[in-house]
Amino acid sequence: METSDKIQWPEGSVFRKLAEVGLVSNLSKEDRIKYDAALRHYRDTLNAMQGAEDKGLKKGLAIGEEKLERQKREFAKRLMIMGCSYKMIMEVTSLSEEEMTKL
């Protein structure tokens, strides 16, 4: 099976996966321990990166929502200055009656 080491299987290929499993199963006990530790480290790193990405996304969405609400209130104030009715402003901006009274 020397030739199988030289074959470049396509990424995601079943044969590539089988070749990798075969290589791992042939590792010495010491190398297998190192391999498993490296694999755990890799997976931990991926999980940490995903968690950081999720946290950043949530923070970004919160900032965006806050900015949108502020812009809606500013727009409502301009409409009030122009003499638009509360009912129309509430309809256009989707602000509640309570939010309108705070303006």
Side-chain angles (χ1 to χ4, degrees):
M1 283 261 178
E2 293 174 26
T3 57
S4 67
D5 294 340
K6 297 176 185 174
I7 297 174
Q8 296 296 316
W9 300 107
E11 187 70 34
S13 164
V14 172
F15 297 110
R16 184 178 188 154
K17 185 70 175 169
L18 286 170
E20 289 171 1
V21 168
L23 290 173
V24 170
S25 66
N26 287 331
L27 292 175
S28 68
K29 185 175 182 177
E30 183 180 311
D31 286 341
R32 180 61 190 253
I33 290 170
K34 290 178 186 177
Y35 172 81
D36 289 341
L39 189 58
R40 275 193 304 279
H41 177 70
Y42 171 75
R43 289 177 178 160
D44 289 347
T45 301
L46 282 180
N47 286 334
M49 289 172 61
Q50 183 65 50
E53 185 178 309
D54 291 347
K55 185 178 177 181
L57 181 60
K58 286 179 185 177
K59 184 177 180 180
L61 287 172
I63 290 169
E65 288 175 9
E66 185 179 307
K67 184 177 181 180
L68 179 63
E69 289 300 315
R70 190 172 53 249
Q71 288 175 338
K72 283 173 37 176
R73 288 190 300 274
E74 289 171 10
F75 182 59
K77 286 179 185 177
R78 281 191 236 133
L79 290 174
M80 287 171 63
I81 291 169
M82 293 172 60
C84 296
S85 70
Y86 269 37
K87 184 177 179 181
M88 187 188 96
I89 296 171
M90 287 175 13
E91 204 170 297
V92 170
T93 62
S94 69
L95 291 174
S96 68
E97 213 172 315
E98 183 181 331
E99 291 170 313
M100 288 292 295
T101 57
K102 291 179 183 178
L103 298 176

